[in-house]
Amino acid sequence: MSFGNWKPTVVVQGILWILYGLLLQPEPGTATLPLLMDSVIQALAELEQKAPATEAGHSAAAWLLTAQGSGTHSPLYHFLLEGKSLNTTKLDPPSLSPELRGLVGEVARHSVQDGKEYGVVLAPDGSTVAVEPLLAGLWAGLQGHRIVNLSLESTATPPDAGVTFPALGPTSPGLSDASPDVTSGDVRAVSPNVSTKDTDVGATSPEVRPGSPDVQASSPDTKAKLPTAVDSLLVVTLARGLGLNFLQGPQTWNHSGLGTEGCWDQLSVPRTFTLLDPEASPLTTAFLNGALDGALLGDYLSRTPAPRPPLSHLLSQYYGAGVAGDPGFRSNFRRHNGAALTSAPSLTQQVWGALILLQRLEPAHPHLQGMSQEELAQVATHATKEFTEAFLGCPAIHPRCRWGAAPYQGRPTLLKLPLGFLYVHHTYLPAPPCTSFESCAADMRSMQRFHQQTRGWSDIGYSFVVGSDGYVYEGRGWHWVGAHTLGHNSRGFGVALIGNYTAVLPSEAALRAVRDELPRCAIRAGLLRPDYALLGHRQLVPTECPGDLLFNLLRTWPHFDKNVKPRTARRASSRSKRRPPPTILLSTDLQ
């Protein structure tokens, strides 16, 4: 099917509604496909092949909305995502194969129950992604950045009597300047039955990006102005979930419950995902991954002129080599791209606005009843702070189970935290940098086999290993003594970059993880002292590790301890030039 025959406004939106509608019509026992992002893309592709022939679009959406009754989501989703031009045309939805139909019904509703996470799939980059916020972002993006005015002009009394909302100006808090023809919708209804027919929602121009860094917005406090508008894209992907999670009280205002990872029962044919923390909040790593992917791809769709690519193509690129040939715009770098999409002050306003909207759409919500605007502002501030610092600002770390680690041999020795040192290594072998999850995971297993079977060690020696695929891989982790820097293993974390960096440098993403993200998050979590010292392996052990070029770069980093002289340099200076050069110890000679 050529892009020229593609009707994005009609067909693509209809396909998303078909997926939403299928949620209420699952066929038990038919979801035999593995829970992979490739399976979701396959379902989209199958729908795209059928939809043009039936002109699915708005008619299919109307049929599915009728079948759904009150909708598959909360009144907020219903209000922000459902179009106002639907009719009551009766139409059979395009049929999926029983396997794909079962898959869609299984994965597109996110939940956390009894330590298990549902509605998630394994992506090609090794990350786990919640499908529901991803689809919500795609749908919102296809509608454009819909700016919904929070001004109340109805006769109903707002939950906070006396609070007035200023009229929306030409721009919205947290959004870049909109083009002159942008209109904004007023939220004039407060009952759960409110629908988008009560608003006049306009889309911003393709150039508008929500929360661009140049927007000057302050985090709300008791004196801050109330947000006057929300962007539906950010609300349905990130802001709603953040706000509701942190409404539960101060006990959720710490990073420990945010972004919990988990393990699949198997990687080749994944079926069950078990969280590493059974008490995890719904804001798991998988949910935040899906929310970020939905926000980033929705933003891309809203700025892309017609004809837009089929969603199956878009997702294949995003979870593959990169959208439109851009290797930086793919799921591997969602956190870095997400940080550029919206600033903390802008997101705070969006979270606060989402809570205000929820308060009016769901006046009986148990966590929102009686909440003042000052309290909602405080929740929004804490939620955004934790998300930006504990998730966006931290590297994405694949747990041991994700790369297929063998069990630790023996009983690990616990570290006495916080530590005061960070030791940098290169692996030397494998020498080529790994640029995909498949190759990085294979390198991790290879190094672990060598360390355990050849060296006789208990486990892979490093605390963490950094690939060139945008991910950090957990070795012995934050709590176990490693085998990376002879005589110093209990005093610092050993971090290795996969590759030989004698004459070349690692990727900027890998360098950023070691220089900025990993230590910053370790300090925040109380695992690394704020005054930690950074050392190259060669400063403590006679080796050329971490490679000449990388070591020279380390010398320029803020925490580098220049008072510790490289041992190889000192030993070499005392040798006669006529003697053979010193033996170079590979970085695998960790003990």
Side-chain angles (χ1 to χ4, degrees):
M1 178 177 58
S2 67
F3 284 11
N5 295 328
W6 187 249
K7 301 176 181 179
T9 303
V10 176
V11 175
V12 179
Q13 293 180 355
I15 287 168
L16 285 177
W17 275 119
I18 289 167
L19 288 178
Y20 277 128
L22 288 172
L23 300 184
L24 294 186
Q25 306 171 43
E27 296 183 9
T30 59
T32 58
L33 293 177
L35 298 182
L36 296 169
M37 182 59 71
D38 287 343
S39 300
V40 176
I41 294 173
Q42 181 183 348
L44 277 169
E46 187 170 318
L47 282 171
E48 287 164 349
Q49 290 296 324
K50 299 174 184 295
T54 60
E55 195 177 356
H58 294 300
S59 296
W63 188 95
L64 289 163
L65 285 176
T66 301
Q68 290 177 156
S70 60
T72 63
H73 300 288
S74 69
L76 181 67
Y77 273 65
H78 181 94
F79 172 70
L80 292 176
L81 292 181
E82 293 182 5
K84 60 183 180 179
S85 60
L86 301 176
N87 54 52
T88 58
T89 303
K90 301 298 181 182
L91 178 70
D92 289 331
S95 59
L96 284 172
S97 65
E99 293 82 7
L100 288 177
R101 190 181 183 88
L103 172 80
V104 171
E106 183 175 1
V107 304
R109 186 72 60 81
H110 179 261
S111 66
V112 173
Q113 300 174 27
D114 301 324
K116 299 289 195 298
E117 188 169 10
Y118 302 93
V120 297
V121 295
L122 179 62
D125 66 349
S127 65
T128 303
V129 180
V131 177
E132 181 179 4
L134 169 63
L135 291 179
L138 292 173
W139 175 242
L142 287 168
Q143 295 175 330
H145 284 311
R146 303 190 340 152
I147 305 173
V148 179
N149 195 338
L150 295 176
S151 297
L152 284 177
E153 298 179 3
S154 69
T155 57
T157 302
D160 260 3
V163 175
T164 58
F165 291 79
L168 183 66
T171 60
S172 304
L175 300 178
S176 301
D177 292 343
S179 57
D181 59 348
V182 173
T183 60
S184 301
D186 291 333
V187 180
R188 303 179 187 275
V190 296
S191 71
N193 295 323
V194 67
S195 68
T196 49
K197 68 182 181 181
D198 298 308
T199 66
D200 181 17
V201 181
T204 61
S205 63
E207 291 76 19
V208 176
R209 296 178 65 92
S212 60
D214 60 342
V215 175
Q216 300 298 319
S218 59
S219 297
D221 53 33
T222 55
K223 297 181 180 179
K225 292 182 179 179
L226 290 164
T228 59
V230 293
D231 172 17
S232 62
L233 173 61
L234 290 180
V235 169
V236 300
T237 53
L238 286 168
R240 174 183 178 273
L242 287 172
L244 287 177
N245 184 75
F246 283 83
L247 269 177
Q248 299 174 28
Q251 66 272 18
T252 62
W253 294 356
N254 61 79
H255 66 278
S256 61
L258 185 70
T260 300
E261 261 289 1
C263 295
W264 288 98
D265 54 342
Q266 53 182 325
L267 295 178
S268 57
V269 188
R271 295 293 311 160
T272 304
F273 190 70
T274 303
L275 293 168
L276 294 175
D277 178 5
E279 303 299 323
S281 78
L283 290 186
T284 62
T285 293
F287 178 86
L288 294 175
N289 284 344
L292 275 177
D293 293 349
L296 289 166
L297 291 172
D299 176 72
Y300 174 81
L301 286 170
S302 72
R303 295 181 294 105
T304 301
R308 296 186 180 106
L311 293 181
S312 60
H313 288 234
L314 179 62
L315 293 183
S316 294
Q317 292 177 345
Y318 181 75
Y319 294 105
V323 175
D326 180 3
F329 188 22
R330 54 187 172 128
S331 55
N332 305 58
F333 306 110
R334 61 169 65 87
R335 298 195 191 200
H336 183 67
N337 293 331
L341 180 68
T342 179
S343 66
S346 302
L347 184 58
T348 302
Q349 286 281 303
Q350 293 297 317
V351 175
W352 190 8
L355 292 175
I356 293 172
L357 187 56
L358 275 167
Q359 203 172 46
R360 282 148 179 76
L361 294 172
E362 301 184 63
H365 194 291
H367 294 302
L368 286 166
Q369 282 184 320
M371 292 282 288
S372 68
Q373 292 306 319
E374 289 77 10
E375 290 172 320
L376 294 182
Q378 188 180 28
V379 169
T381 300
H382 280 283
T384 301
K385 177 180 172 62
E386 292 302 320
F387 173 67
T388 55
E389 293 182 5
F391 190 79
L392 284 186
C394 291
I397 301 177
H398 282 321
R400 292 169 60 88
C401 60
R402 196 66 50 81
W403 56 266
Y408 190 98
Q409 297 177 355
R411 178 175 296 181
T413 301
L414 293 178
L415 291 164
K416 296 180 180 180
L417 304 170
L419 302 185
F421 295 90
L422 192 67
Y423 310 129
V424 180
H425 304 251
H426 71 170
T427 62
Y428 191 80
L429 294 173
C434 63
T435 57
S436 69
F437 169 69
E438 184 179 8
S439 60
C440 290
D443 287 347
M444 291 294 294
R445 293 190 296 271
S446 175
M447 287 187 287
Q448 187 189 39
R449 282 195 301 271
F450 178 75
H451 290 174
Q452 288 184 321
Q453 299 175 13
T454 303
R455 296 296 185 192
W457 299 346
S458 301
D459 196 7
I460 188 171
Y462 308 114
S463 306
F464 295 95
V465 179
V466 182
S468 293
D469 62 337
Y471 288 99
V472 175
Y473 291 76
E474 181 186 24
R476 299 206 188 185
W478 296 118
H479 300 284
W480 296 350
V481 174
H484 44 75
T485 311
L486 181 64
H488 302 267
N489 292 318
S490 64
R491 302 178 63 195
F493 298 107
V495 180
L497 295 103
I498 294 179
N500 176 2
Y501 297 110
T502 301
V504 296
L505 284 174
S507 67
E508 177 54 34
L511 292 172
R512 184 171 61 243
V514 179
R515 180 187 62 230
D516 304 323
E517 297 167 349
L518 200 63
R520 179 174 62 224
C521 291
I523 292 171
R524 188 178 190 275
L527 304 167
L528 186 67
R529 295 207 307 261
D531 62 346
Y532 78 93
L534 183 142
L535 297 168
H537 189 197
R538 65 174 62 181
Q539 290 176 271
L540 300 172
V541 176
T543 175
E544 294 299 320
C545 178
D548 291 342
L549 207 58
L550 176 56
F551 182 71
N552 288 335
L553 180 63
L554 296 184
R555 292 174 182 267
T556 68
W557 290 6
H559 284 265
F560 180 79
D561 190 346
K562 62 183 179 182
N563 295 318
V564 181
K565 303 301 181 183
R567 295 191 62 182
T568 50
R570 183 170 65 251
R571 290 169 62 88
S573 63
S574 63
R575 292 178 178 269
S576 167
K577 293 183 179 179
R578 289 175 293 179
R579 291 181 181 181
T583 301
I584 297 177
L585 300 179
L586 304 184
S587 64
T588 48
D589 296 327
L590 304 178
Q591 296 181 331

